[in-house]
Amino acid sequence: MAASFLSRLTRFAFVAAAAAGLSACGVNSIPTAEENAKAKWADVQNQYQRRADLIPNLVATVKGYAKQEQDTLTKVTEARAKATSVQISAADVTDPAKMAQYQAAQGQLSAGLGRLLASVEAYPDLKSNQNFLALQSQLEGTENRIAVARRDYNEAVQAYNTTIRTFPAVIGAKVIYGAKPMVPFQATTPGADTAPTVSFDSPAAPAAAPANDNAAAPASQAAGQ
């Protein structure tokens, strides 16, 4: 009886030690950090899609008042088509080439929107159009939400990448999961990390580019609520 009890106690101790060892190796922390980063990436994509959904109405409204801006309107429409055609699944956030392609497409659309909104300054009637003003407000809020979503994603990626590179979780990352570092969002087009200016109280001018998404997020988050 005593031997049987001792045997069961030994097995229990072994299982407990093994569980503790696996936990220390990131069995739980790695997938938790991974799923959090993927969820944040979904938020980034949702906000970019929200922006893409606003653009057709914006282009149509501007076209009614500024037919001479046809070249700018065409470029924005083409940039939107390209941006929406490049989709990155959560499984692709470890692929630098795919992420760079997505970021470049969104950056080109941001640049095109910036040029379009700057051209509107020459059309007072358009600037007072109620439909345009509503689109302006929605676009401004969306750009702020994009900045916040990118910041949150980058923070989640940093946490995940740190987890899979730090002992003892690095053991589980390599042996159990074969984990790869995720790619943070980095603007690849000059000025793409700055939201297009959508206020027409004064001549449009790009805001100073923040050093990174983390630095810009607090103000953006407040404005995007």
Side-chain angles (χ1 to χ4, degrees):
M1 178 77 69
S4 176
F5 174 77
L6 183 60
S7 177
R8 289 197 300 272
L9 184 62
T10 301
R11 286 198 299 270
F12 175 78
F14 175 79
V15 171
L22 287 173
S23 178
C25 289
V27 169
N28 293 323
S29 61
I30 291 174
T32 297
E34 180 182 25
E35 291 305 315
N36 182 51
K38 288 180 177 180
K40 298 304 183 184
W41 175 248
D43 290 342
V44 172
Q45 290 191 301
N46 287 340
Q47 295 307 328
Y48 274 123
Q49 184 60 53
R50 176 187 172 95
R51 179 175 73 171
D53 292 342
L54 290 171
I55 290 174
N57 285 338
L58 178 66
V59 169
T61 301
V62 173
K63 186 182 296 184
Y65 286 82
K67 293 181 173 62
Q68 56 267 51
E69 302 294 341
Q70 186 61 45
D71 182 58
T72 300
L73 293 169
T74 298
K75 289 181 178 178
V76 168
T77 301
E78 291 174 347
R80 176 189 182 275
K82 182 175 181 180
T84 54
S85 70
V86 180
Q87 293 298 320
I88 302 295
S89 71
D92 293 327
V93 294
T94 59
D95 187 328
K98 290 183 179 180
M99 287 291 288
Q101 183 183 23
Y102 181 87
Q103 293 167 19
Q106 295 297 342
Q108 289 172 8
L109 180 53
S110 293
L113 273 174
R115 288 190 293 271
L116 174 61
L117 293 169
S119 71
V120 169
E121 191 64 33
Y123 306 96
D125 290 342
L126 172 58
K127 289 161 54 180
S128 62
N129 176 271
Q130 291 302 310
N131 186 41
F132 179 79
L133 291 175
L135 289 168
Q136 169 195 340
S137 177
Q138 292 178 61
L139 184 60
E140 180 180 30
T142 299
E143 291 293 348
N144 288 331
R145 291 184 179 92
I146 287 172
V148 172
R150 286 197 320 233
R151 180 206 65 183
D152 290 346
Y153 167 71
N154 282 349
E155 288 180 350
V157 166
Q158 182 181 28
Y160 171 76
N161 288 347
T162 299
T163 298
I164 66 172
R165 290 172 175 168
T166 306
F167 184 83
V170 66
I171 299 173
K174 291 183 177 180
V175 177
I176 300 175
Y177 295 110
K180 297 180 180 179
M182 292 184 179
V183 182
F185 196 104
Q186 298 175 334
T188 55
T189 301
D193 54 349
T194 304
T197 300
V198 294
S199 173
F200 300 104
D201 295 330
S202 59
N212 53 51
D213 283 333
N214 290 344
S220 299
Q221 191 169 21
Q225 296 299 321

